[in-house]
Amino acid sequence: MGQEPAIALRGVCKEYRREQIKIPVLTDLKLTVDEGEFLALMGPSGSGKTTLLNLLAGLDRPTTGEVVVHGQDLAQMSEGQIARWRSRNVGFIFQLYNLIPVLTAFENVEMPLLLTSLSKRQRRENVRTALRVVGLEGREDHFPRQLSGGQEQRVAIARAIVTDPYLLVADEPTGDLDRQSAEEILELMEQLHREFQKTIVMVTHDPIAARRASRLLKLDKGKLVGDVIQAQEVAS
Amino acid sequence: MKYLVYVFRNIRRNPVRTLLTVASISICLFLMMLLLSYLTINTEVAHSLSDYNRLITMSSQGFTQPVPIANVATVAAMEGIATVGELTPEDKEHRDKKAVSPFSWYGGRYKDDSMPGSQFGIDPETIFAIMVEMKLPPDQLKAFRDDKTGCVIGKKLAKDKNLKIGDPYPLKGTVYEFNLDLTIRGIYDAPENRDNRMCLYHWAYLDEGLKRDFQGRAAGNAGTIYFKCKDAAAMPGLIKKIDDSFRNSSTPTKTQTEEAFAQMFSEMIGDLQTLIVAVGMAVVVSLICVCGVAMAMSMRERTTEVAVLKAIGFGRGLVLALVLVEAVIVSTLGGVVGALGTKLLFDQFDLGSLVPGFLPFFYVPWTTALFGLGLAVLIGFVSGVLPAWLAAQTSVIQGLRKVV
Amino acid sequence: MIPIKYNIRNLRRRWVTTTLTIIGTGLVVASSCILFGMVEGLQQSLRVSGDPNDLMVLRKGSTNETSSYFDLSKVVELATIPGIARDEKGRPLCAGELVNIPVCERANGSRANLIIRGMDPISPALRPNFKIIEGRTIEPGKGECLVAKPISGRFKGTRLGETLKCGERESYRVVGVFTAGGGAAESEVWVDRNDLARNTQRTGFVSDVQLRAASAADRDAIQKTIQTGTQFNLLAMKESDYYADQQITGMVLLVIGSVIAVLLSIGAMFAAANTMFAAVKSRTREIGTLRALGFSRFDVLLCFLGESILLCSLGGLLGWLATLPMSALTFGTNDFNSFAEKTIQFRFGPLVFAVAFAMTMAMGVFGGLFPAIRAIRLDVIKALREV
């Protein structure tokens, strides 16, 4: 650990086909992210932010090039392998939380653990811990619709960290929240980065959110146009 | 098992849809149970008759053709037929008499019956030894034997027509010119899968009437001959011996087991059976479509959710299995209500009283009910395959994009 | 009103569920149509069987031919009653016939009673469009038989040139195949009356007499003579009435068909409702937009109800047309009146259409009503915000 970078992209190209026409989204991308970095990804719509995020998270494959995460070349893995890999190594946070409406907060957080061989008791402990980290003790039995947006996103974060993944990816995690809740969520992510040394990649449109990250990448038309290591702003 | 919470929550997610799907399956299965039970009962009942070692002799030209009453004695004289005493030891009086009886269809109408009922002219001294499963209290049996114009009716007939012992039971003949002025002397009780709507009267009463009032036209006809063998092994030999002995008479006979005789009746419905099976299959395919639609609609509404699950690391196989299990559970629910519910319903409610003359009894056999349940499971499985496959194929990226 | 084109486009857009729903409802409609096609076929066969001036003479108290019998001598007497129509050779159209229904084996090995009719030489003239389509007519006393076309091949030994055996004593060589305008005779085998009487020990008896009066007035007079006079003391029924009384089998089929139609319609109704509820749900925002554009609640109700009816109509049409090829099929089942095999020609007629139409409407209207009501009760503002 620590020797190799958390994420290494080499010559990554990604293009989509839409009715015979090739649309390049990412072109010849090169990127190295060290373990424990909190990366913010900014750029205008269509710049390839989400595509990059999907590649890192193993949801998508590059057209050409190499995506190595935690020493694994994702392009070499089969669909099934990559799904298993995701379940152990990646935690997802979405803009619209994407909680399962018919499951309680507890059950939502427990979902990724079902894929492990943990016993019911161990699962319960892990879920409780994750909910405590995000500050939602006592809300275990609430359904998503009984929670506020900020709380829903916390549940989603608990779900993302419950398996103690290597990498957290967040796609505009504050995009649908009011300022206050957004602040709290960013706080929480920062805490995860600080206290648990998680590697976090966050796509955002919000410059305030981006300022919380330890490193800021800017994408435009599929190319990296900015890469700044920034001193983290401490919440006032 | 740990995924079941999620599956059950999904089933409850859209209660209206689940309810409609379950209702659709149960209604259609209710119909299937009605139709299939009719077919299975026939076979099942015919099969159950083989335990009784009974044979039936009819005219080789069909059961509408007469069998001379003298044949009854010829049959009775043969080796291998049980005696009344062997079958019903309490009946001392007719102990040595052979268990042989004429069984002659009368087809009379009671009051304003639209359909002729099942009435049979029999020998009161032997019939209840032959039909051992039909129970008649000894005092009623004695009263019946002592009254030449007496008759015994089944408990369900008594219930349908509100008849009790001592009531007159006059019948207008359709086959015979002679009307029967019967008085009920007993009410028999037979198992549920036997005809509890028959009326049995003294064969001699009709015959004497025909001889007295109609110059003996159509008299002397035993209709068919029912008798009981000592054991099953003797039956094939006996069948041959009886038919051989009448082969060169003016009225050749055809003797067969009661099972084969009953089977013959159920075979008569012919193509209707094929049709019922065809309708059943069409209903199954239709239900597969209906359930498939419901499941596909559910899955489409959950596209994003499936994408999230897949992102979290749920593999294709697991997603496929979750959808299939959900589909199977929903349709099994329909099966439980439709198949087992129908069985319970007809255990309580006697359909036969609604259509007198057609269905002496009706029930849903366990085999049919379980078959229905099995069909429901199958329908769920097959209908779930396409939606499950589509869900498993869901592209995570496409699915997640839908929301943004 | 919202144009129907909108509905068609929507059905096309969700074509998978549309197709599956159409197949589902189509099969349901077809299942019921089959039974009603048989009912209609049976009714048709009984309708053509009875000429309005024909009388059927039975023993008093019997309800059909198989339980009727009286002396042959009465046939001769009956033929002398004035007012009976005559054929071109001057023979009175009065046929004494003997009926037997032995158990015979079908070609597939199952057993059924088959009507063997001992015919009078004049019998064919009393049947509508009696025609020998293969072979020739029988010669009396030679143990020959004519087989109705639907029966030929259905039972063992009923093809031209084969020998039909029933019971120990009866065997008849098939010398001809006939049709009788789709009437009741098309379920029968015809033999020489004397052959049959000899084989069944009924020499000197007939089961019934069929006769044709020269006019309706003659018919009523003849009927009166036969029934009231001491001379005959027999039952004379108008043939059409006789066949009307033979409807039990038709009733059975009608009941089975109705039960199937009603239950399956309800089942399909639920299925249609399911599809339409989903349609309303997935188009919530669209409904809001339509309302915002100024369409009334009633327009929206009509729109979804119309879509439901359109969807079910496609299924209904498919199911109805799917039974069209069945017209070529003949079904054989037990006649609950005579306990003999009755062949029924499936008839793709108005009854089948009526059933298909009624089922389609029931499914479309009741299946669409509640989803449509849900659609009009949507709050416009909320609906517009729905994702």
Side-chain angles (χ1 to χ4, degrees):
Chain A
M1 279 243 258
Q3 301 297 327
E4 51 186 324
I7 300 166
L9 269 62
R10 277 184 282 273
V12 166
C13 290
K14 179 72 189 174
E15 51 193 32
Y16 291 108
R17 279 169 177 276
R18 194 162 290 164
E19 286 158 20
Q20 308 296 332
I21 305 159
K22 286 183 193 165
I23 304 166
V25 185
L26 296 175
T27 36
D28 196 23
L29 209 67
K30 190 171 187 302
L31 175 67
T32 314
V33 180
D34 287 325
E35 241 186 84
E37 272 193 292
F38 181 177
L39 204 69
L41 213 52
M42 289 190 79
S45 290
S47 59
K49 304 183 297 288
T50 302
T51 304
L52 178 56
L53 196 72
N54 288 341
L55 289 175
L56 298 179
L59 293 176
D60 206 351
R61 289 160 194 271
T63 312
T64 56
E66 236 176 29
V67 180
V68 180
V69 180
H70 197 17
Q72 288 273 355
D73 186 354
L74 302 186
Q76 301 299 313
M77 288 196 267
S78 74
E79 168 114 10
Q81 284 173 322
I82 221 164
R84 255 188 315 262
W85 175 82
R86 277 202 306 269
S87 72
R88 267 179 260 130
N89 294 287
V90 188
F92 289 90
I93 303 161
F94 306 96
Q95 180 182 0
L96 292 173
Y97 337 125
N98 284 341
L99 296 178
I100 293 168
V102 290
L103 297 180
T104 61
F106 181 95
E107 289 158 349
N108 263 293
V109 177
E110 193 190 20
M111 223 46 193
L113 292 179
L114 295 180
L115 296 168
T116 65
S117 54
L118 292 180
S119 73
K120 196 170 178 174
R121 232 186 56 211
Q122 287 170 309
R123 290 206 300 269
R124 192 165 55 220
E125 253 164 50
N126 289 8
V127 173
R128 289 253 165 84
T129 309
L131 282 171
R132 197 176 318 123
V133 169
V134 301
L136 281 179
E137 299 116 307
R139 300 280 182 162
E140 284 91 343
D141 295 330
H142 286 56
F143 284 93
R145 62 169 185 280
Q146 296 168 316
L147 299 170
S148 72
Q151 287 169 329
E152 276 196 75
Q153 192 61 298
R154 283 160 187 270
V155 176
I157 293 174
R159 179 176 67 185
I161 61 171
V162 74
T163 50
D164 193 21
Y166 181 74
L167 173 68
L168 279 179
V169 294
D171 197 349
E172 301 202 38
T174 57
D176 215 50
L177 294 174
D178 59 78
R179 197 68 260 166
Q180 173 75 32
S181 307
E183 277 300 323
E184 286 168 17
I185 292 299
L186 288 168
E187 187 88 2
L188 181 56
M189 292 183 64
E190 217 171 67
Q191 183 196 347
L192 293 174
H193 164 64
R194 222 171 33 235
E195 289 177 22
F196 301 93
Q197 281 78 46
K198 292 283 168 220
T199 309
I200 304 176
V201 180
M202 173 177 75
V203 163
T204 184
H205 269 122
D206 180 3
I208 302 173
R211 241 174 286 149
R212 295 296 187 99
S214 63
R215 183 176 169 195
L216 175 64
L217 285 182
K218 287 194 172 165
L219 271 173
D220 192 21
K221 293 179 185 134
K223 288 194 167 71
L224 268 180
V225 293
D227 187 349
V228 192
I229 308 284
Q230 49 186 18
Q232 274 175 277
E233 196 178 283
V234 180
S236 50
Chain B
M1 288 306 277
K2 53 190 175 186
Y3 301 104
L4 275 184
V5 175
Y6 177 55
V7 172
F8 275 108
R9 295 284 170 75
N10 275 330
I11 290 169
R12 276 166 42 191
R13 178 187 297 226
N14 193 333
V16 175
R17 174 177 301 153
T18 305
L19 207 71
L20 286 171
T21 312
V22 169
S24 193
I25 300 174
S26 11
I27 293 263
C28 293
L29 274 180
F30 172 73
L31 173 71
M32 289 247 271
M33 289 298 100
L34 280 180
L35 298 175
L36 290 182
S37 293
Y38 178 75
L39 298 182
T40 14
I41 286 173
N42 281 334
T43 338
E44 197 177 277
V45 168
H47 200 67
S48 75
L49 290 168
S50 65
D51 297 341
Y52 295 101
N53 298 342
R54 286 191 287 251
L55 293 178
I56 296 171
T57 297
M58 62 173 206
S59 163
S60 77
Q61 281 159 320
F63 49 78
T64 53
Q65 287 302 297
V67 171
I69 191 67
N71 290 13
V72 176
T74 317
V75 169
M78 286 186 184
E79 202 61 39
I81 295 173
T83 61
V84 172
E86 284 166 355
L87 300 165
T88 46
E90 67 280 4
D91 193 350
K92 301 272 189 293
E93 199 182 338
H94 305 285
R95 193 171 42 201
D96 298 325
K97 197 162 170 174
K98 289 286 190 63
V100 180
S101 170
F103 205 78
S104 173
W105 169 263
Y106 181 72
R109 290 171 201 253
Y110 170 68
K111 289 189 175 165
D112 47 2
D113 280 355
S114 59
M115 282 283 290
S118 306
Q119 303 101 16
F120 295 95
I122 47 84
D123 181 347
E125 291 169 4
T126 57
I127 193 72
F128 287 97
I130 301 168
M131 305 289 192
V132 277
E133 72 274 35
M134 288 168 45
K135 304 291 181 208
L136 185 68
D139 54 322
Q140 292 180 22
L141 178 59
K142 188 173 181 323
F144 173 49
R145 283 174 176 169
D146 292 346
D147 179 3
K148 190 155 253 185
T149 64
C151 71
V152 170
I153 62 171
K155 62 175 180 196
K156 285 186 187 166
L157 180 65
K159 195 167 163 247
D160 291 348
K161 311 255 178 212
N162 199 19
L163 292 167
K164 51 189 189 306
I165 292 171
D167 284 351
Y169 192 62
L171 295 170
K172 240 170 97 77
T174 58
V175 181
Y176 294 99
E177 294 163 274
F178 186 71
N179 294 334
L180 299 176
D181 273 316
L182 299 170
T183 311
I184 296 166
R185 293 297 172 207
I187 293 172
Y188 73 83
D189 182 357
E192 283 305 304
N193 60 356
R194 292 288 182 274
D195 193 346
N196 272 302
R197 291 192 162 86
M198 285 194 294
C199 164
L200 304 176
Y201 63 91
H202 291 237
W203 181 87
Y205 172 43
L206 169 68
D207 203 55
E208 283 165 20
L210 290 171
K211 280 183 184 144
R212 186 178 62 237
D213 301 343
F214 299 95
Q215 301 96 43
R217 264 204 310 272
N221 176 16
T224 54
I225 304 171
Y226 268 59
F227 53 101
K228 194 164 162 85
C229 303
K230 282 194 170 126
D231 54 70
M235 294 193 342
L238 207 50
I239 288 172
K240 195 174 168 336
K241 221 165 103 189
I242 290 169
D243 288 346
D244 282 348
S245 73
F246 295 121
R247 178 150 296 131
N248 297 313
S249 75
S250 58
T251 49
T253 57
K254 160 104 179 123
T255 303
Q256 53 193 327
T257 61
E258 193 179 17
E259 182 185 7
F261 188 76
Q263 203 70 56
M264 181 180 78
F265 273 89
S266 53
E267 280 169 16
M268 283 181 193
I269 68 160
D271 293 340
L272 204 54
Q273 174 158 6
T274 323
L275 211 62
I276 286 174
V277 173
V279 166
M281 287 199 293
V283 171
V284 169
V285 177
S286 175
L287 279 179
I288 287 173
C289 291
V290 164
C291 299
V293 167
M295 203 62 216
M297 289 183 305
S298 291
M299 292 326 291
R300 191 162 50 194
E301 285 163 15
R302 281 187 231 153
T303 307
T304 312
E305 206 173 301
V306 172
V308 172
L309 287 181
K310 291 187 80 176
I312 286 176
F314 279 56
R316 268 185 210 197
L318 186 53
V319 171
L320 191 90
L322 287 176
V323 181
L324 270 183
V325 169
E326 183 177 338
V328 168
I329 290 177
V330 170
S331 65
T332 307
L333 273 176
V336 169
V337 178
L340 301 186
T342 310
K343 163 137 189 78
L344 284 181
L345 176 70
F346 290 114
D347 282 349
Q348 301 303 316
F349 169 75
D350 181 14
L351 188 68
S353 61
L354 269 188
V355 277
F358 281 110
L359 286 175
F361 48 87
F362 184 84
Y363 60 92
V364 180
W366 269 115
T367 47
T368 308
L370 292 179
F371 177 73
L373 193 62
L375 268 187
V377 175
L378 182 80
I379 287 167
F381 187 82
V382 177
S383 72
V385 167
L386 183 68
W389 186 77
L390 287 176
Q393 291 305 113
T394 306
S395 145
V396 183
I397 300 153
Q398 301 290 338
L400 288 175
R401 187 173 294 156
K402 242 184 107 172
V403 292
V404 189
Chain C
M1 219 185 90
I2 301 161
I4 191 91
K5 207 189 284 173
Y6 169 82
N7 302 111
I8 296 171
R9 295 256 166 88
N10 270 306
L11 288 179
R12 256 173 44 189
R13 203 183 56 191
R14 50 186 163 100
W15 64 273
V16 177
T17 48
T18 301
T19 312
L20 285 176
T21 310
I22 288 175
I23 296 174
T25 47
L27 282 168
V28 156
V29 170
S31 300
S32 313
C33 282
I34 291 173
L35 266 298
F36 282 92
M38 284 180 67
V39 171
E40 200 164 6
L42 192 66
Q43 283 173 349
Q44 173 71 7
S45 121
L46 296 178
R47 200 159 40 233
V48 303
S49 295
D51 185 285
N53 287 338
D54 279 7
L55 284 177
M56 185 97 172
V57 186
L58 300 167
R59 175 182 63 76
K60 264 194 179 157
S62 70
T63 48
N64 62 47
E65 294 176 295
T66 47
S67 62
S68 168
Y69 50 88
F70 52 86
D71 286 347
L72 181 59
S73 58
K74 292 209 170 151
V75 180
V76 186
E77 288 177 52
L78 283 165
T80 62
I81 300 177
I84 292 181
R86 287 170 187 275
D87 70 354
E88 59 274 21
K89 289 180 195 156
R91 294 179 297 175
L93 292 176
C94 172
E97 297 173 354
L98 187 63
V99 170
N100 188 34
I101 49 167
V103 181
C104 295
E105 227 175 308
R106 293 195 187 95
N108 65 12
S110 64
R111 291 163 290 175
N113 291 317
L114 183 58
I115 297 182
I116 309 282
R117 183 178 298 276
M119 61 180 272
D120 198 291
I122 201 78
S123 286
L126 281 148
R127 300 301 191 285
N129 301 316
F130 184 94
K131 210 185 293 166
I132 292 179
I133 55 165
E134 250 187 291
R136 55 168 173 86
T137 194
I138 54 172
E139 284 175 33
K142 289 198 169 167
E144 295 175 342
C145 72
L146 290 173
V147 176
K149 187 163 178 285
I151 293 291
S152 180
R154 258 193 90 72
F155 284 81
K156 283 187 179 158
T158 51
R159 287 180 201 280
L160 192 65
E162 293 180 338
T163 301
L164 172 67
K165 285 175 73 76
C166 24
E168 291 289 331
R169 298 175 163 256
E170 287 178 89
S171 79
Y172 305 100
R173 203 156 51 78
V174 183
V175 297
V177 176
F178 69 90
T179 55
E186 290 204 351
S187 302
E188 301 176 348
V189 172
W190 282 18
V191 301
D192 176 42
R193 188 177 70 209
N194 294 326
D195 282 353
L196 183 64
R198 195 170 48 249
N199 290 338
T200 58
Q201 319 294 310
R202 287 192 288 176
T203 306
F205 284 99
V206 291
S207 299
D208 65 302
V209 165
Q210 295 204 33
L211 58 84
R212 180 164 301 159
S215 69
D218 287 327
R219 181 197 64 209
D220 295 340
I222 295 169
Q223 191 174 14
K224 212 172 160 200
T225 312
I226 296 172
Q227 297 211 101
T228 51
T230 49
Q231 186 190 1
F232 296 111
N233 199 25
L234 292 168
L235 175 71
M237 293 173 92
K238 274 190 258 176
E239 206 176 29
S240 46
D241 291 345
Y242 174 79
Y243 284 114
D245 282 354
Q246 307 290 302
Q247 294 277 25
I248 297 177
T249 305
M251 286 297 296
V252 172
L253 291 176
L254 201 65
V255 168
I256 300 177
S258 304
V259 168
I260 291 179
V262 168
L263 289 177
L264 289 185
S265 293
I266 297 174
M269 225 178 262
F270 292 149
N274 237 347
T275 315
M276 289 314 295
F277 270 126
V280 170
K281 189 173 176 184
S282 68
R283 267 142 68 189
T284 302
R285 197 149 52 149
E286 259 171 71
I287 294 166
T289 312
L290 287 171
R291 292 284 308 283
L293 287 173
F295 287 102
S296 70
R297 280 173 192 266
F298 186 68
D299 287 329
V300 173
L301 181 85
L302 272 188
C303 174
F304 279 91
L305 209 51
E307 187 164 319
S308 170
I309 293 173
L310 181 67
L311 180 67
C312 292
S313 300
L314 289 172
L317 189 71
L318 183 83
W320 176 60
L321 289 176
T323 56
L324 183 60
M326 305 216 74
S327 299
L329 291 181
T330 303
F331 297 89
T333 189
N334 182 40
D335 184 293
F336 291 90
N337 223 300
S338 62
F339 292 105
E341 179 94 341
K342 171 92 197 161
T343 59
I344 301 168
Q345 186 78 40
F346 180 90
R347 193 170 143 87
F348 187 77
L351 185 63
V352 173
F353 178 78
V355 168
F357 185 76
M359 286 181 77
T360 302
M361 280 302 154
M363 292 185 293
V365 171
F366 290 106
L369 194 60
F370 294 99
I373 288 174
R374 177 180 281 185
I376 61 170
R377 284 170 68 182
L378 287 173
D379 184 85
V380 180
I381 315 277
K382 270 192 197 156
L384 280 170
R385 257 197 235 132
E386 188 88 3
V387 276

